[in-house]
């Protein structure tokens, strides 16, 4: 697009109205960061010449119109996109660690394979006590075993799994 007649550069004309443009943008959106974004985008469009400079409008009026139009465009986008949440303000959301999740997935597969490799009587106790969180006493009752047998089988099963995974004293090797 062409610059208005007699205007060879808009740089100096762009700097003067910046404080007023920002005040106007803050009045529109009531948020400083959004206002800064609106003014910055308006300036970028003005400098790039993509906003359609209009010779019939004074430059400053045209910049105010750009800010206003950008604000209304943003409102339309927000209505169609739905509610936005600031994830840093939400303590109840679970964050995903892109590096640790694959490691955890691999470790889980190794643990499940180690549990599958246990003898049946140890495997069913591991699943009852460690996965289903059944007490030793309730597991003994459910399986018709003395509680001492439950404890010794679980100890052997845990040792076998730890050895198979390279875990010693609670640490991965």
């Amino acid at each position: 697009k062409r610059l208005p007649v007699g205007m060879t550069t808009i740089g100096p004309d762009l700097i003067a109205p910046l404080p007023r443009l920002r005040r106007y943008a803050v009045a529109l959106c009531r948020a400083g960061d959004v206002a800064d974004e609106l003014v910055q985008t308006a300036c970028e469009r003005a400098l790039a010449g993509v906003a359609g400079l209009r010779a019939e409008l004074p430059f400053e009026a045209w910049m105010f119109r750009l800010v206003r139009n950008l604000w209304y465009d943003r409102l339309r986008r927000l209505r169609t996109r739905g509610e936005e949440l600031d994830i840093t303000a939400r303590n109840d959301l679970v964050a995903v660690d892109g590096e640790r999740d694959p490691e955890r997935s691999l470790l889980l597969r190794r643990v499940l394979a180690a549990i599958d490799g246990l003898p049946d009587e140890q495997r069913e106790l591991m699943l009852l006590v460690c996965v289903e969180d059944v007490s030793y006493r309730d597991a003994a009752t459910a399986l018709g075993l003395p509680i001492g047998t439950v404890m010794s089988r679980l100890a052997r099963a845990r040792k076998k799994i730890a050895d198979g995974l390279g875990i010693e004293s609670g640490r991965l090797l």
Side-chain angles (χ1 to χ4, degrees), residues 123-137:
R123 184 175 57 250
E124 68 184 349
L125 276 173
M126 283 293 291
L127 294 174
L128 276 175
V129 174
C130 298
V131 176
E132 297 299 328
D133 202 25
V134 173
S135 70
Y136 286 15
R137 184 170 313 286

Side-chain angles (χ1 to χ4, degrees), residues 61-76:
W62 176 70
M63 288 299 297
F64 279 105
R65 180 179 286 179
L66 269 178
V67 169
R68 184 183 127 250
N69 290 344
L70 287 166
W71 170 242
Y72 286 126
D73 288 346
R74 181 182 174 93
L75 287 178
R76 279 190 291 274

Side-chain angles (χ1 to χ4, degrees), residues 56-127:
E56 64 271 7
L57 277 180
F59 180 75
E60 197 169 297
W62 176 70
M63 288 299 297
F64 279 105
R65 180 179 286 179
L66 269 178
V67 169
R68 184 183 127 250
N69 290 344
L70 287 166
W71 170 242
Y72 286 126
D73 288 346
R74 181 182 174 93
L75 287 178
R76 279 190 291 274
R77 275 193 315 273
L78 288 175
R79 271 189 230 120
T80 59
R81 186 169 46 205
E83 182 181 3
E84 280 188 19
L85 301 173
D86 181 8
I87 195 164
T88 59
R90 297 285 308 265
N91 295 330
D92 59 329
L93 298 178
V94 177
V96 175
D97 184 345
E99 289 182 26
R100 291 181 59 193
D101 282 351
E103 292 172 12
R104 288 179 181 165
S105 179
L106 290 173
L107 180 58
L108 178 61
R109 282 192 216 138
R110 289 177 55 207
V111 169
L112 291 174
I115 291 173
D116 285 342
L118 292 172
D120 290 341
E121 65 273 359
Q122 290 178 2
R123 184 175 57 250
E124 68 184 349
L125 276 173
M126 283 293 291
L127 294 174

